[in-house]
Structures are given as C-alpha cells and as structure tokens.
Amino acid sequence: MKSQDIQGALMASIAKVLVPEQMKAVAEVVAKMPFVAPTHSVALKDPNVEEGRFIFMDRCAQCHRFNATGEMTFGSPPLIGLQDWYLLAQIGKFKNGWRGVDPTDPNGTKMQQSSGFIESEQAKHDVVAFILSLNPKKEDETSADSLFSNTQATQ
Ligand code: HEC
C-alpha cells in the first residue's frame, strides 16, 4: 500500500491495533452477516457487459472462478457482493501501483500483475459491469451463501 492511498492508510491504522483474538472475533461476526448483492450501478459509465464477459472469462476467471465467487486456495477473493465504485477503485489502485506492490505480499503481487490485463478505462467499466451481472438476483438472496462453498453444497 502506498502513502497516497488514504482509504488504505485509514484501514491499515485500524487493523494494526487489533490483536489476533480480536481479528478472529471480528471476522466471525462479519462472516455471519447476510449476503447483500448491490441492486444498481452507481459509478459505471456506458458499460458493455458482453465485452466485460469476454475480458472476465479470458483474464480473471482462472483465479476468481467463472462466477466470481473467489478461490481460497489462490487467495483470490469473491468479487460478487461488492459495489461497482469499490471494484473500480480497487482495480485502479492495483493498476497505479497503490495496492499489491509489497514484495512480501504474493497475493497482492498476483493481482497487481493481473491488473495489467485491463488495458483501458472502458475495459475497466465493462468488466465491472459483467461482475455486477453475476450477483444473485433478489429472489436468490437467501441462498447466496451456497455459492461460496462447493463442498457444503452437497450436504
Ligand atoms: C493470477 C490470479 C488473478 C487473476 C488472473 C486476477 N486476479 Fe484479481 N485478485 C487476485 C488476488 C490473489 C487478489 C487478492 C489481492 C490481495 O490480497 O490484496 C485479487 C483481488 C482483486 C480485487 C480486489 C477485491 C477486494 O475486495 O478488494 C479485484 C477488484 C480484482 N481482483 C479484480 C480482478 C479482475 C477484474 C481480473 C481480470 C482482469 C482479475 N482480478 C484477475 C488474483 C487474481
């Protein structure tokens, strides 16, 4: 994280004061919160969802999975459930070297390098629009948790 990244610095200062037991306790509470999919776009400009689908399947799905639910073994987080302004901002931070540039952080490095696959501002909006389209629709919300675990889905 770079010092220009004000939001990153704010979050880092809060995270640093948590002792390990508190981190675990906070994670347990947050993990139990209901999944809420974004219902509308707040920041996308003239996105082409089909173009975004092509970019995502070609350059993102191998790590974030075809449905953007993430892959724990790769350290790739889920991308559904996040709002468009946040996705745009994070891709921007990776691209301009504010995030994922610490050499001791292999997962950050992987994504920092992958952000180079998004070659333009338009491509960024296209791929984020496609990610938003993967969110479960309103009537599926109560079952959205099942998307995140293929091991539990069979139980
Ligand atoms: C080689 C594997 C890999 C590829 C390919 C990849 N990512 Fe990632 N991505 C990651 C990892 C690992 C992280 C977590 C980085 C971290 O821990 O800081 C991440 C994080 C992100 C985040 C930040 C999520 C958050 O909650 O802050 C976004 C957004 C993202 N990726 C989008 C994409 C998009 C869009 C593509 C395709 C253009 C893509 N990624 C391709 C591995 C990958």
Side-chain angles (χ1 to χ4, degrees):
M1 189 198 69
K2 284 284 163 77
S3 56
Q4 299 99 309
D5 181 0
I6 298 165
Q7 294 98 347
L10 190 68
M11 185 57 220
S13 66
I14 293 165
K16 274 185 191 133
V17 298
L18 295 175
V19 297
E21 301 82 70
Q22 289 172 318
M23 277 168 59
K24 194 165 169 282
V26 167
E28 273 168 14
V29 170
V30 175
K32 287 199 186 98
M33 288 178 179
F35 178 92
V36 180
T39 52
H40 60 281
S41 160
V42 293
L44 291 174
K45 294 198 195 89
D46 296 327
N48 181 331
V49 180
E50 275 313 303
E51 194 58 38
R53 179 197 305 275
F54 177 79
I55 297 169
F56 188 86
M57 291 307 175
D58 194 44
R59 306 171 207 168
C60 318
Q62 69 269 36
C63 291
H64 290 280
R65 298 191 72 207
F66 68 97
N67 54 4
T69 53
E71 179 54 66
M72 196 170 76
T73 48
F74 300 157
S76 325
L79 301 176
I80 56 168
L82 300 175
Q83 295 190 355
D84 56 2
W85 63 268
Y86 178 77
L87 291 165
L88 291 168
Q90 299 317 301
I91 294 169
K93 286 183 187 193
F94 283 113
K95 275 183 82 67
N96 68 17
W98 286 11
R99 193 175 159 183
V101 285
D102 187 327
T104 61
D105 173 15
N107 288 336
T109 305
K110 272 194 283 188
M111 183 56 213
Q112 211 276 321
Q113 288 166 353
S114 303
S115 67
F117 301 150
I118 303 176
E119 70 277 6
S120 67
E121 194 60 21
Q122 186 60 53
K124 196 166 79 174
H125 284 254
D126 295 347
V127 77
V128 168
F130 176 67
I131 293 168
L132 250 69
S133 78
L134 295 171
N135 278 294
K137 304 292 169 276
K138 208 148 187 45
E139 60 273 18
D140 304 335
E141 259 172 28
T142 49
S143 61
D145 276 353
S146 64
L147 287 170
F148 293 105
S149 170
N150 44 14
T151 47
Q152 281 170 19
T154 51
Q155 284 173 4

